Amino acid sequence: MDLNRLLAPPAPIHLIQTHQPDPIYTDLDEPTPSSSIPTEHSPSSLQVPPSPTAKSLGGDTLRSRADSFNSTAETTRNRADSFNSKAETARSRGNSDVATLRSRFEGDDLSTEEALRPDRKNEKDFEIDDSPFAFSPGQLNKTLNPKSLAAYRALGGIYGLERGLKTDLVAGLSVDETSIPEKIAFDEATSLARSTKPLDARQIIAQDDIVTGHDVKGQFHDRKRIFKDNRLPAKKAISIWRLFWNAYNDTVLFILTAAAVISLALGVYEAVGQTPEDGEGQSLDWVEGLAIMVAVVIVVLVTGLNDYRREKQFSALNARKDDRQVKAIRSGKSMMISVFDVMVGDILHLESGDSIPADGILVGGHGVRCDESSATGESDAMKKTGGAEVWQRMVEGTATSKLDPFIISGSKVLEGVGTYLVTSVGVNSSFGKIMMGVQAENEETPLQAKLARMAKWIGYLGTSAAGLLFFILLIRFLAGLPNNTDSPAKRGSTFLDILIVAITIVVVAVPEGLPVAVTLALSFATKKMFKENNLVRHLRACETMGNATTICSDKTGTLTQNKMTVVAGLLGTHTSFARDIELMDEDKTVLTFAAAFDRMSPEVRRLLLQSVAINSTAFEGEEDGKATYIGSKTETALLTMAKEHLGLGPVAEERAGVEVVQLFPFDSDRKCMGIVIRLACGSYRLLVKGAAEIMLKQATEELIEISGEALNTTELSESARLSASANIDDFATQSLRTIAMLFKDFSQWPPIGAETLEEDKSMAKFEDVCQDMVFLGVVGIQDPLRDGVAYAVKRCQDAGVVVRMVTGDNITTASAIAKQCGIKTEKGLVMEGPKFRQLSDEEMDEILPDLQVLARSSPEDKRILVSRLKHLGETVAVTGDGTNDGPALKLADVGFSMGIAGTEVAKEASAIILMDDNFASIVKAMMWGRSVNDAVSKFLQFQITVNITAVILAFVSAVSSSEMHSVLSAVQLLWVNLIMDTFAALALATDAPTEKILDRKPTPKRAPLITTKMWKMIIGQAIYQLLVTFVLYFVGYDILGYDTKCSTPNFNNECGSLVAFARDSCFTDLRTQCTDTMHTELNTMVFNTFVWMQIFNEFNNRRLDNKLNIFEGVLRNYFFIGINCIMVGGQIMIIFVGGKAFQIKRIDGTQWAVCILCALPCLLWAVVLRCIPDIYAAKVFDFVSKVWLAVARPVLKVLGVVFRPVGKGWHALSRNVFKPAGRFGHRMTSKILPRRTNASDEDTNGKGKNNGTADIEAGSEMRRMTTRTTAPKTPPHLRNTSAEFPMQPPPITLTTAS
């Protein structure tokens, strides 16, 4: 064998016989070909299998009709697609007279054409123009939909696929591949697969010729063109026009628009169709209708653009969370590539815990079992057989339906290691086809659901107030009709003004901005969290993490750096060595690394190399352009030690000369891994390494005389066992991970008397053979703490979060590291997993408050721990990196998986991926989670204040006005609504968290949305704002002296001379005109003061606690500054140029000063409110709530009886008018907005004709979650009353400060 040949790096991947078969063989009955084909369990080399260009599997005759293999004998047969022996045989399809009865599989009697016949729905996948490959995507898919050995045979097996896809089972794809000039035909690929070249004739890739992963222009051009890449087409984004429509698709806005149109029409009629009365100018009532329409358009535009921005952010988030790195072989070198860059023809590694990224065929491996329940519904672990073995069984006629070489995308690798050939990616893969039909929609978080329910209750109250106002004003309007001398158009305009004000109050009262505020806060937080190495996979985790009360953290890689180095060790039980002598006791003889390894004899050195290099799944590769070892950090540390001190060369070469008989992958329950190799003398050696104290229990002998020529062993005495145990404890107290190595030689495999696996009698059970082992030695591996981890743990503890360490290390090492981190305190409890799982539920609940370290724990221990903590009411965050950690990650409130060391199963089970595996990133996630909750609370506090003030002010002013006009016009209320729902949400949702956010305890799960502090600010600010606006509205004439101004005869400009004032008519008209002008000015001042109070109160709401510095960090929040500049600029522009549209009049400097001075004290009033102790405020609110309930219940019952007929009428109107109108609008919109993608998109997506409908449905779902809340409906439990008002007010929950 040429040792310069480049071999695939992983140890137990491809298996072939060590002897060389004849180059060409012409008779299938000869034993040579059979023995040359690798089998999964045969004693074998770790060298990769030969290329399909090697050795012929056929005879002299190749018949192309059915691509069958025949011998040179004369045979006649009815069906051509079966494999026959050389014997002269005549047989029909249903009757065989062969001497040997052979096994059959489903579809064995199918011809190539039948096995690869396209389905009607997928015919286009079989029609590929100008393809350099032998197979089309449709033909490759026939192997898996369902699994078909007949299709696999028709494609020429693993070697036919290799040839037809122009790849190499050893070296994979070339990184320099762009376009492929030479084509290969189907018959050529499948026939060449049956005539392979000998191993030595295959192309050898020299080490110096390897091209590492680098960017190549047009890389894999033809593969992408024919087979596509491994991306699913993004769900067609909701168009901006659809988002505009969603923002406008609100019953309240429809009614408001209709009323505005009628008002505009009546205003135009008054201005054009009627002659103004003497002394009156041209009517401008049409301006209000037009202004309302413009205001509605602005609200819709801003809301739609806001939704569009959010959609873009979530699309980017989804793209990031689906990306991951997989291990591939390209140009003979193992490298990490993005899952999106996987190509058909790639050779990918398989390891326990991997999530399969694409469909394919297993090339070779050890003990590969997959969980395909997510893809096929099959709950059993599916054992995989190498493609070469399956092909050989077909040749021999012993293939059965139980053979399964198929690797299905979306499934999980439960155990084993191997490599597989990718045959389908992206939309052509099994998982891709499933995902195209069920692309996930954005989820609604618990906080969004809570706020949506609260918005409904607030909407009930606001709608009730608006309805009450409408009927009061309507009764007044109807009562005044007999004495009303206005024109019909004027009276109609008055009625419309009443209706518009009532509807506008509903618009303001319904807090549709609450769910939007959550979405904005989440989108902003997830974007920032990604920059801080937290990839949020589920939005609900973001808000939940803010209230976490306990964190169960792994040690390795999370609290430590996961940069492991062997720093000490023990050979046998007598020879100690260390890098730093201080690591060992002074009374012991300790050698340096060089001195210890120099003493070793070649035989002992070889044994140690086998234990480190052969019994390992790590392999050579590149990271950041540098050669390194890739795999478990523990194993890479051992390989580094072997390279530096044992003369380890290329790992692949070391493994190439060893025959692997059986592999025992690492198991987290038994804490070890093992491998069985065949020695040159014909005997077998079992090598095991794992947790030191567990391995020591399995040893009954020890290695002595490391300098001896032979492996001399002796019985492991009790004193020697205690000495080794003491060394292990010494290492552990130095925070070193201890790994022990054992071995044992056997004369045969499986050993006599050993229990074997049911499915394969050539494989022994690990528990039966790992007994009475020889103790080779133990090493201590150092993994330093991460910088800042102790500070991060301290910050968590200050925030009221208990940090627990859950680790597989022994109790001594775990305790030592926990003390360094600050997790372990003097009174803290440390326990081992085996003892913990034996406790009863009651005993667990008793010790959990004090439990700080759980050592030697299994994934099941972690799951039990999480379950009991949740049972005690804790909000639990847990970290995990292994496949078996999946249940615990799923069960926890927030599961964190490791982005570097974590398996794909763990990542999919988690809610957040730690991209740097760092505990400090968990603290960042907690800060952002609290920031999201705070942002929502800030916005809720601000909006409810505006709701209360605006609704009461509009209601009281409209009822008290002789003209039945509110001091806040419809257009003004729409501007306030824009400030309240959109601008404030943007401003208050974008405050970044500071370290001070961790200075408080987490919020309990059942805490109310509105706390006592919030109620104190809401009620207090509402009282102040109503007091100021009512004083201005009712007493402003007297305070500002408007009556005096209108009584003084100084109107020379209007009348021309003082003599004119003697005429009563002129004076009366002028006074009326003056009064109207002063009234408009006063209303303008009330509106201006009201808006400025909201702007100043927005600063108050930046803090939720009782601290006074409301400007902390404001200069770092550019969003807040920018939004407030827009609000201030918009308000100034409205006052100066709003005019008739906003029903205001420009005010002078003095009046501006009055407005600002009336609004500014709300900042000082907030200081007063914060100084009021929460406990006193809670008592006051408790008393008020009791009075409210006592008064509200009977009142609401009466209102329910009174308005029941109105409710029935409204429902009838909605059913017979609004719903048909909505359906008509939907149909018209569907005609205007495209519901389906164009033809090119259909080709890309594969299911184009359904995409449009999916987009419409997705848009509707997004609409329900995040856009404007519609007019509230009666809750289900109240629907039997048919009333428009609920019979019970919403409960008010008060909390006091702790």
PDB file of all heavy atoms in Angstrom, residues 335-347:
ATOM      1  N   MET A 335     -12.979  19.527   5.580  1.00  0.00           N
ATOM      2  CA  MET A 335     -13.139  20.955   5.861  1.00  0.00           C
ATOM      3  C   MET A 335     -14.569  21.228   6.297  1.00  0.00           C
ATOM      4  O   MET A 335     -15.475  20.424   6.058  1.00  0.00           O
ATOM      5  CB  MET A 335     -12.787  21.795   4.623  1.00  0.00           C
ATOM      6  CG  MET A 335     -13.609  21.475   3.391  1.00  0.00           C
ATOM      7  SD  MET A 335     -13.102  22.445   1.951  1.00  0.00           S
ATOM      8  CE  MET A 335     -11.432  21.848   1.719  1.00  0.00           C
ATOM      9  N   MET A 336     -14.741  22.346   6.968  1.00  0.00           N
ATOM     10  CA  MET A 336     -16.059  22.776   7.404  1.00  0.00           C
ATOM     11  C   MET A 336     -16.640  23.701   6.338  1.00  0.00           C
ATOM     12  O   MET A 336     -15.987  24.649   5.912  1.00  0.00           O
ATOM     13  CB  MET A 336     -15.979  23.513   8.739  1.00  0.00           C
ATOM     14  CG  MET A 336     -15.301  22.740   9.849  1.00  0.00           C
ATOM     15  SD  MET A 336     -16.156  21.221  10.286  1.00  0.00           S
ATOM     16  CE  MET A 336     -17.660  21.889  11.001  1.00  0.00           C
ATOM     17  N   ILE A 337     -17.870  23.415   5.903  1.00  0.00           N
ATOM     18  CA  ILE A 337     -18.541  24.259   4.922  1.00  0.00           C
ATOM     19  C   ILE A 337     -19.929  24.588   5.438  1.00  0.00           C
ATOM     20  O   ILE A 337     -20.479  23.902   6.308  1.00  0.00           O
ATOM     21  CB  ILE A 337     -18.634  23.578   3.540  1.00  0.00           C
ATOM     22  CG1 ILE A 337     -19.500  22.302   3.617  1.00  0.00           C
ATOM     23  CG2 ILE A 337     -17.257  23.256   2.986  1.00  0.00           C
ATOM     24  CD1 ILE A 337     -19.772  21.670   2.266  1.00  0.00           C
ATOM     25  N   SER A 338     -20.509  25.643   4.894  1.00  0.00           N
ATOM     26  CA  SER A 338     -21.876  26.006   5.250  1.00  0.00           C
ATOM     27  C   SER A 338     -22.833  24.951   4.718  1.00  0.00           C
ATOM     28  O   SER A 338     -22.629  24.385   3.645  1.00  0.00           O
ATOM     29  CB  SER A 338     -22.241  27.375   4.675  1.00  0.00           C
ATOM     30  OG  SER A 338     -23.634  27.617   4.802  1.00  0.00           O
ATOM     31  N   VAL A 339     -23.890  24.686   5.472  1.00  0.00           N
ATOM     32  CA  VAL A 339     -24.882  23.717   5.018  1.00  0.00           C
ATOM     33  C   VAL A 339     -25.516  24.161   3.712  1.00  0.00           C
ATOM     34  O   VAL A 339     -25.967  23.338   2.905  1.00  0.00           O
ATOM     35  CB  VAL A 339     -25.951  23.517   6.116  1.00  0.00           C
ATOM     36  CG1 VAL A 339     -26.811  24.756   6.271  1.00  0.00           C
ATOM     37  CG2 VAL A 339     -26.815  22.307   5.826  1.00  0.00           C
ATOM     38  N   PHE A 340     -25.526  25.476   3.463  1.00  0.00           N
ATOM     39  CA  PHE A 340     -26.088  25.978   2.211  1.00  0.00           C
ATOM     40  C   PHE A 340     -25.199  25.656   1.019  1.00  0.00           C
ATOM     41  O   PHE A 340     -25.654  25.695  -0.125  1.00  0.00           O
ATOM     42  CB  PHE A 340     -26.303  27.494   2.292  1.00  0.00           C
ATOM     43  CG  PHE A 340     -27.311  27.913   3.328  1.00  0.00           C
ATOM     44  CD1 PHE A 340     -27.126  29.077   4.059  1.00  0.00           C
ATOM     45  CD2 PHE A 340     -28.436  27.151   3.580  1.00  0.00           C
ATOM     46  CE1 PHE A 340     -28.055  29.472   5.007  1.00  0.00           C
ATOM     47  CE2 PHE A 340     -29.368  27.523   4.533  1.00  0.00           C
ATOM     48  CZ  PHE A 340     -29.177  28.689   5.250  1.00  0.00           C
ATOM     49  N   ASP A 341     -23.924  25.362   1.269  1.00  0.00           N
ATOM     50  CA  ASP A 341     -22.977  25.123   0.180  1.00  0.00           C
ATOM     51  C   ASP A 341     -22.815  23.641  -0.153  1.00  0.00           C
ATOM     52  O   ASP A 341     -21.975  23.281  -0.979  1.00  0.00           O
ATOM     53  CB  ASP A 341     -21.603  25.714   0.542  1.00  0.00           C
ATOM     54  CG  ASP A 341     -21.652  27.226   0.673  1.00  0.00           C
ATOM     55  OD1 ASP A 341     -22.512  27.842   0.027  1.00  0.00           O
ATOM     56  OD2 ASP A 341     -20.830  27.788   1.426  1.00  0.00           O
ATOM     57  N   VAL A 342     -23.587  22.782   0.495  1.00  0.00           N
ATOM     58  CA  VAL A 342     -23.511  21.354   0.185  1.00  0.00           C
ATOM     59  C   VAL A 342     -24.023  21.115  -1.229  1.00  0.00           C
ATOM     60  O   VAL A 342     -25.075  21.632  -1.623  1.00  0.00           O
ATOM     61  CB  VAL A 342     -24.333  20.533   1.200  1.00  0.00           C
ATOM     62  CG1 VAL A 342     -24.396  19.063   0.784  1.00  0.00           C
ATOM     63  CG2 VAL A 342     -23.727  20.658   2.590  1.00  0.00           C
ATOM     64  N   MET A 343     -23.258  20.335  -2.007  1.00  0.00           N
ATOM     65  CA  MET A 343     -23.589  20.060  -3.404  1.00  0.00           C
ATOM     66  C   MET A 343     -23.878  18.566  -3.595  1.00  0.00           C
ATOM     67  O   MET A 343     -23.383  17.725  -2.837  1.00  0.00           O
ATOM     68  CB  MET A 343     -22.421  20.448  -4.317  1.00  0.00           C
ATOM     69  CG  MET A 343     -22.114  21.929  -4.365  1.00  0.00           C
ATOM     70  SD  MET A 343     -23.326  22.826  -5.315  1.00  0.00           S
ATOM     71  CE  MET A 343     -23.739  24.118  -4.137  1.00  0.00           C
ATOM     72  N   VAL A 344     -24.660  18.251  -4.621  1.00  0.00           N
ATOM     73  CA  VAL A 344     -24.804  16.862  -5.033  1.00  0.00           C
ATOM     74  C   VAL A 344     -23.432  16.343  -5.466  1.00  0.00           C
ATOM     75  O   VAL A 344     -22.748  16.980  -6.266  1.00  0.00           O
ATOM     76  CB  VAL A 344     -25.819  16.740  -6.181  1.00  0.00           C
ATOM     77  CG1 VAL A 344     -25.775  15.345  -6.791  1.00  0.00           C
ATOM     78  CG2 VAL A 344     -27.225  17.051  -5.687  1.00  0.00           C
ATOM     79  N   GLY A 345     -23.029  15.213  -4.938  1.00  0.00           N
ATOM     80  CA  GLY A 345     -21.698  14.678  -5.193  1.00  0.00           C
ATOM     81  C   GLY A 345     -20.734  14.894  -4.052  1.00  0.00           C
ATOM     82  O   GLY A 345     -19.643  14.311  -4.037  1.00  0.00           O
ATOM     83  N   ASP A 346     -21.098  15.717  -3.078  1.00  0.00           N
ATOM     84  CA  ASP A 346     -20.239  15.932  -1.911  1.00  0.00           C
ATOM     85  C   ASP A 346     -20.167  14.659  -1.070  1.00  0.00           C
ATOM     86  O   ASP A 346     -21.114  13.862  -1.011  1.00  0.00           O
ATOM     87  CB  ASP A 346     -20.784  17.076  -1.045  1.00  0.00           C
ATOM     88  CG  ASP A 346     -20.054  18.385  -1.294  1.00  0.00           C
ATOM     89  OD1 ASP A 346     -18.829  18.345  -1.489  1.00  0.00           O
ATOM     90  OD2 ASP A 346     -20.708  19.445  -1.285  1.00  0.00           O
ATOM     91  N   ILE A 347     -19.043  14.475  -0.400  1.00  0.00           N
ATOM     92  CA  ILE A 347     -18.876  13.424   0.598  1.00  0.00           C
ATOM     93  C   ILE A 347     -18.897  14.094   1.959  1.00  0.00           C
ATOM     94  O   ILE A 347     -18.040  14.923   2.268  1.00  0.00           O
ATOM     95  CB  ILE A 347     -17.557  12.653   0.403  1.00  0.00           C
ATOM     96  CG1 ILE A 347     -17.481  12.079  -1.011  1.00  0.00           C
ATOM     97  CG2 ILE A 347     -17.431  11.550   1.441  1.00  0.00           C
ATOM     98  CD1 ILE A 347     -18.540  11.044  -1.327  1.00  0.00           C
TER      99      ILE A 347
END
